[in-house]
Amino acid sequence: MTWTSDGRGKAGGGVLAALLGAGIPALLGAAMHGPAGEPYRETRLSFAAERPGDRGPVTEGEFTRFLDREVTPAFPEGLTLHEGHGMRRGEDGATVRETSYEVALLYPESEADERGLRVERIRQTYGKQFQRAPVRRTDDTVKSGF
Protein backbone atom coordinates (compact mmCIF):
# COMPACT_ATOMS: atom_id res chain seq x y z
CA MET A 1 0.00 0.00 0.00
CA THR A 2 1.31 3.45 -0.89
CA TRP A 3 0.52 6.50 1.20
CA THR A 4 0.63 9.93 -0.38
CA SER A 5 0.16 13.40 1.04
CA ASP A 6 -0.20 16.78 -0.60
CA GLY A 7 0.16 18.84 2.61
CA ARG A 8 -3.50 19.88 2.82
CA GLY A 9 -4.09 17.69 5.85
CA LYS A 10 -1.42 19.56 7.84
CA ALA A 11 -2.89 22.97 7.04
CA GLY A 12 -6.40 21.76 7.79
CA GLY A 13 -5.27 20.27 11.08
CA GLY A 14 -3.56 23.52 12.01
CA VAL A 15 -6.70 25.52 11.33
CA LEU A 16 -8.75 23.06 13.37
CA ALA A 17 -6.29 23.26 16.27
CA ALA A 18 -6.38 27.07 16.16
CA LEU A 19 -10.18 27.12 16.19
CA LEU A 20 -10.33 24.69 19.09
CA GLY A 21 -7.69 26.66 20.96
CA ALA A 22 -9.68 29.87 20.54
CA GLY A 23 -12.89 28.18 21.69
CA ILE A 24 -11.54 26.61 24.87
CA PRO A 25 -11.07 29.92 26.77
CA ALA A 26 -14.62 30.95 25.82
CA LEU A 27 -16.01 27.64 27.08
CA LEU A 28 -14.08 27.94 30.34
CA GLY A 29 -15.30 31.51 30.81
CA ALA A 30 -18.91 30.47 30.28
CA ALA A 31 -18.52 27.60 32.74
CA MET A 32 -16.97 29.88 35.39
CA HIS A 33 -19.59 32.61 35.10
CA GLY A 34 -22.67 30.35 34.99
CA PRO A 35 -25.55 30.40 32.54
CA ALA A 36 -26.28 33.59 30.66
CA GLY A 37 -29.64 35.26 30.74
CA GLU A 38 -32.26 36.59 33.08
CA PRO A 39 -34.67 34.62 35.28
CA TYR A 40 -37.80 33.63 33.39
CA ARG A 41 -40.80 31.46 34.17
CA GLU A 42 -41.65 28.72 31.71
CA THR A 43 -45.23 27.52 31.89
CA ARG A 44 -46.38 24.49 29.93
CA LEU A 45 -50.07 23.82 29.43
CA SER A 46 -51.33 20.45 28.20
CA PHE A 47 -54.74 20.56 26.54
CA ALA A 48 -56.39 17.17 26.00
CA ALA A 49 -58.47 17.13 22.82
CA GLU A 50 -61.01 14.37 23.60
CA ARG A 51 -64.47 15.52 24.68
CA PRO A 52 -67.04 13.54 26.65
CA GLY A 53 -69.82 11.70 24.84
CA ASP A 54 -69.95 11.38 21.09
CA ARG A 55 -68.83 14.95 20.35
CA GLY A 56 -65.48 13.98 18.88
CA PRO A 57 -62.13 15.56 19.70
CA VAL A 58 -61.29 19.26 19.63
CA THR A 59 -60.10 19.76 16.06
CA GLU A 60 -56.90 21.51 15.05
CA GLY A 61 -58.99 24.38 13.65
CA GLU A 62 -60.97 24.75 16.88
CA PHE A 63 -57.78 24.73 18.92
CA THR A 64 -56.11 27.27 16.62
CA ARG A 65 -59.12 29.60 17.03
CA PHE A 66 -58.88 29.12 20.81
CA LEU A 67 -55.19 30.09 20.69
CA ASP A 68 -55.97 33.14 18.55
CA ARG A 69 -58.79 34.34 20.85
CA GLU A 70 -57.54 33.40 24.31
CA VAL A 71 -53.83 32.63 24.49
CA THR A 72 -52.13 34.96 22.01
CA PRO A 73 -53.81 38.13 23.35
CA ALA A 74 -52.73 37.15 26.89
CA PHE A 75 -49.15 36.35 25.77
CA PRO A 76 -48.48 38.55 22.71
CA GLU A 77 -44.73 37.95 22.94
CA GLY A 78 -45.37 34.50 21.54
CA LEU A 79 -45.64 30.87 22.46
CA THR A 80 -44.55 27.46 21.28
CA LEU A 81 -47.11 24.85 20.27
CA HIS A 82 -46.47 21.09 20.23
CA GLU A 83 -48.96 18.50 19.07
CA GLY A 84 -48.89 15.29 21.05
CA HIS A 85 -50.48 11.98 21.77
CA GLY A 86 -51.28 11.17 25.37
CA MET A 87 -52.31 7.99 27.17
CA ARG A 88 -54.09 7.49 30.45
CA ARG A 89 -56.12 4.85 32.22
CA GLY A 90 -59.87 5.34 31.89
CA GLU A 91 -62.40 4.82 34.66
CA ASP A 92 -63.07 1.31 33.33
CA GLY A 93 -59.35 0.46 33.51
CA ALA A 94 -58.82 0.51 29.74
CA THR A 95 -56.05 2.57 28.17
CA VAL A 96 -57.35 5.77 26.62
CA ARG A 97 -55.28 7.32 23.84
CA GLU A 98 -55.93 10.89 22.84
CA THR A 99 -54.56 13.80 20.90
CA SER A 100 -53.25 16.67 22.97
CA TYR A 101 -51.76 20.10 22.45
CA GLU A 102 -48.96 21.50 24.58
CA VAL A 103 -48.36 25.24 24.75
CA ALA A 104 -45.10 26.58 26.20
CA LEU A 105 -45.08 30.16 27.49
CA LEU A 106 -41.98 32.11 28.57
CA TYR A 107 -42.19 35.35 30.55
CA PRO A 108 -40.05 37.29 33.06
CA GLU A 109 -39.99 35.79 36.55
CA SER A 110 -40.79 39.25 37.94
CA GLU A 111 -44.20 39.05 36.18
CA ALA A 112 -45.04 35.52 37.40
CA ASP A 113 -47.94 36.51 39.67
CA GLU A 114 -49.80 38.59 37.08
CA ARG A 115 -49.04 36.16 34.24
CA GLY A 116 -50.15 33.26 36.41
CA LEU A 117 -53.62 34.82 36.61
CA ARG A 118 -53.73 34.95 32.80
CA VAL A 119 -52.76 31.27 32.66
CA GLU A 120 -55.55 30.33 35.06
CA ARG A 121 -58.13 32.20 32.96
CA ILE A 122 -56.95 30.30 29.88
CA ARG A 123 -57.28 26.96 31.69
CA GLN A 124 -60.79 27.74 32.92
CA THR A 125 -61.95 29.02 29.53
CA TYR A 126 -60.74 25.88 27.73
CA GLY A 127 -62.51 23.65 30.23
CA LYS A 128 -65.81 25.52 29.86
CA GLN A 129 -65.64 25.90 26.09
CA PHE A 130 -64.79 22.26 25.33
CA GLN A 131 -66.30 20.53 28.40
CA ARG A 132 -62.91 19.19 29.41
CA ALA A 133 -61.26 18.32 32.69
CA PRO A 134 -58.73 20.88 33.95
CA VAL A 135 -55.78 21.70 31.73
CA ARG A 136 -52.50 20.39 33.15
CA ARG A 137 -50.01 23.11 34.11
CA THR A 138 -46.31 22.86 34.93
CA ASP A 139 -44.02 25.76 35.86
CA ASP A 140 -40.24 26.00 35.92
CA THR A 141 -37.82 28.84 36.57
CA VAL A 142 -35.24 29.06 33.80
CA LYS A 143 -32.52 31.45 32.60
CA SER A 144 -33.09 32.90 29.17
CA GLY A 145 -31.45 35.50 26.98
CA PHE A 146 -32.73 37.02 23.79
Side-chain angles (χ1 to χ4, degrees):
M1 177 182 292
T2 303
W3 292 91
T4 60
S5 174
D6 61 4
R8 285 185 280 181
K10 292 180 184 175
V15 170
L16 179 60
L19 288 173
L20 287 174
I24 290 173
L27 290 173
L28 288 175
M32 290 173 50
H33 297 292
E38 300 297 319
Y40 273 76
R41 176 74 53 99
E42 179 184 59
T43 297
R44 292 184 175 271
L45 300 173
S46 296
F47 299 87
E50 296 300 316
R51 292 188 258 209
D54 295 329
R55 298 190 54 221
V58 175
T59 66
E60 186 176 330
E62 288 174 311
F63 190 75
T64 298
R65 285 189 293 281
F66 176 80
L67 286 177
D68 291 345
R69 272 192 324 273
E70 303 295 334
V71 183
T72 303
F75 292 90
E77 307 84 7
L79 56 89
T80 301
L81 172 65
H82 301 278
E83 291 186 31
H85 302 281
M87 293 189 328
R88 62 180 170 80
R89 180 153 302 171
E91 292 179 16
D92 62 357
T95 300
V96 177
R97 291 175 173 79
E98 60 186 334
T99 300
S100 63
Y101 303 98
E102 182 183 63
V103 173
L105 306 164
L106 191 65
Y107 46 92
E109 180 68 26
S110 61
E111 299 175 14
D113 289 342
E114 190 271 329
R115 299 292 188 110
L117 294 174
R118 295 182 197 183
V119 168
E120 289 308 307
R121 280 193 296 272
I122 290 166
R123 294 175 70 205
Q124 290 171 5
T125 301
Y126 185 82
K128 287 177 185 173
Q129 183 173 341
F130 298 109
Q131 292 81 47
R132 286 292 314 165
V135 173
R136 186 183 64 180
R137 173 183 180 171
T138 58
D139 292 292
D140 283 313
T141 301
V142 298
K143 294 261 186 183
S144 183
F146 294 92

